[in-house]
Amino acid sequence: MNESERFAAAAIAFTWRHEPRFREHFWKSICFFDGDADVMDNAEIRVEPYRWADLLITNPTPRGTFVYVVELKIHAVLSDIQNPARREFGQVDGYGGLLNANFGFPGEILRFVLLGAKPVDLRKRPWNLPIRVQQRYWRDLADDFPTTSVSKDLAISLGMLGIDAFPAAEVKNMKVDTRQTEFAKADSILREVERRIAWPPARSKREFGFDKGNWYLGVELLTSDKEPAKSLKSLVRPAWTYVAWFGYQGEEGGPPSLGVWLYCGSGESRNKIRTQLRAKLRGCSIDATAPPEDNEFPLIVSVRRHRLNNDCEWFCNVFGNLGVQTIA
């Protein structure tokens, strides 16, 4: 996880240095506090110059030098010394204490930004330092993201690191329609589907395989007592902990198909769902002929081409017709 955050910081800094539109966007959406001076042309960004700063931005202005520390989190929790809501943040070894010790000199104005962490109550300030703090989220960065080529490359990179906000920005016009060389694109789409169906955390797993000339790349969905897994489990009635699979599959060298597999626990539940989907889905193969194995009766919904805007919409449409509500 630390390596993912380090790579994200480096990619952001690179884009900041080489893409003025992104620099302005990052400044306004992440760094800026009410009343701060505008970003200057000679503002500098550095990657992890100290262990307590994933990104360090200095902005020399006529009003003084604004110093920003940005702490990045990707599916990771804050330690007490990183958390501005904790007393430890302001102590000698805390990130706030270290920021103040290194940059709290006359004419330097200190800022600390949490980016991507779970929400914390920043109204609590159990420390007394001249530092203003704020919290921002990856979705703040993804909104109105610049469309330049360098910025798009950054968005794809952040999405591949598992930052949920960015597959949403990238899959708008994506369809996987060539060969295995597009697996990176497929991975972004699958991540976005996971986000939109809001499957319970830690109850899904990515799977890739190649066997006898056939390949697949997808996501296994496991049972849970939380929605929407609970409702889909009630419909499918799986024999084991696996409820469904969705993803791409195909023959070596051939075009992929999109598929959703439902691991029905009986022939009765499989036939019931098949009838339900045939009345609602058009242009899909809905196959209930696979022989049962280990008390599983697979129902396979698949398509090679579709008329929706992107593959993410097709997957979500199938799940929607199974009663799974999707988010935007």
Side-chain angles (χ1 to χ4, degrees):
M1 197 61 66
N2 288 338
E3 293 302 322
S4 295
E5 291 162 0
R6 184 172 292 118
F7 180 87
I12 288 170
F14 176 88
T15 312
W16 163 293
R17 291 168 180 152
H18 295 278
E19 178 49 69
R21 287 180 57 187
F22 173 78
R23 186 180 78 157
E24 187 71 20
H25 174 71
F26 187 85
W27 178 259
K28 290 181 178 178
S29 62
I30 304 302
C31 297
F32 182 77
F33 286 66
D34 288 342
D36 281 4
D38 293 336
V39 62
M40 306 297 288
D41 290 340
N42 59 344
E44 294 184 354
I45 187 169
R46 289 190 286 167
V47 180
E48 206 173 359
Y50 311 99
R51 67 173 179 83
W52 45 267
D54 290 333
L55 288 172
L56 180 69
I57 299 169
T58 53
N59 183 35
T61 77
R63 292 169 47 190
T65 297
F66 288 77
V67 180
Y68 298 81
V69 167
V70 182
E71 176 64 25
L72 279 66
K73 289 297 176 186
I74 303 175
H75 304 305
V77 298
L78 288 168
S79 66
D80 289 345
I81 61 173
Q82 298 171 328
N83 188 343
R86 302 288 296 187
R87 177 176 55 86
E88 291 84 352
F89 177 82
Q91 293 181 343
V92 174
D93 292 330
Y95 281 24
L98 290 165
L99 170 59
N100 186 61
N102 285 270
F103 288 93
F105 298 100
E108 293 179 331
I109 303 154
L110 308 185
R111 305 287 188 252
F112 188 88
V113 182
L114 292 176
L115 173 56
K118 291 183 178 179
V120 298
D121 187 357
L122 294 182
R123 294 173 299 179
K124 300 177 181 178
R125 287 176 57 109
W127 39 267
N128 184 23
L129 295 171
I131 301 174
R132 289 180 66 184
V133 298
Q134 69 181 0
Q135 184 160 21
R136 293 290 183 263
Y137 301 95
W138 290 112
R139 64 176 177 269
D140 296 320
L141 184 61
D143 288 347
D144 298 320
F145 202 76
T147 57
T148 60
S149 59
V150 176
S151 295
K152 286 182 178 180
D153 288 343
L154 173 62
I156 292 173
S157 297
L158 295 177
M160 293 179 68
L161 289 173
I163 300 173
D164 294 340
F166 281 91
E170 286 302 311
V171 304
K172 183 176 180 181
N173 298 307
M174 279 189 183
K175 296 182 181 181
V176 174
D177 55 8
T178 57
R179 300 186 180 183
Q180 291 137 291
T181 53
E182 297 214 335
F183 278 179
K185 181 192 291 186
D187 187 67
S188 294
I189 293 169
L190 296 177
R191 287 185 184 277
E192 174 63 2
V193 176
E194 281 189 84
R195 187 193 70 83
R196 291 191 190 184
I197 65 176
W199 202 259
R203 299 305 296 164
S204 65
K205 61 181 184 178
R206 196 63 48 89
E207 292 213 338
F208 170 75
F210 189 87
D211 181 50
K212 298 179 181 179
N214 296 301
W215 60 267
Y216 59 88
L217 172 66
V219 179
E220 294 277 17
L221 300 177
L222 299 126
T223 57
S224 172
D225 291 332
K226 297 180 179 180
E227 295 295 352
K230 183 178 179 180
S231 295
L232 190 59
K233 176 184 175 182
S234 179
L235 177 67
V236 175
R237 300 185 181 278
W240 313 106
T241 57
Y242 292 87
V243 183
W245 176 93
F246 69 91
Y248 296 93
Q249 55 197 2
E251 297 179 355
E252 182 179 10
S257 63
L258 291 70
V260 175
W261 289 54
L262 303 171
Y263 302 127
C264 302
S266 68
E268 180 182 357
S269 61
R270 177 167 72 174
N271 291 334
K272 180 180 178 180
I273 298 172
R274 177 183 60 177
T275 300
Q276 173 183 328
L277 292 180
R278 280 183 172 174
K280 296 180 178 181
L281 295 177
R282 295 288 183 268
C284 301
S285 168
I286 304 175
D287 184 1
T289 62
E293 183 176 355
D294 294 329
N295 294 320
E296 282 186 353
F297 294 74
L299 178 65
I300 306 165
V301 183
S302 62
V303 68
R304 288 191 178 275
R305 295 181 180 179
H306 59 83
R307 296 182 179 274
L308 297 175
N309 293 326
N310 55 67
D311 290 351
C312 181
E313 289 185 9
W314 184 87
F315 287 117
C316 290
N317 183 49
V318 175
F319 282 112
N321 281 294
L322 292 166
V324 176
Q325 293 186 353
T326 59
I327 60 177

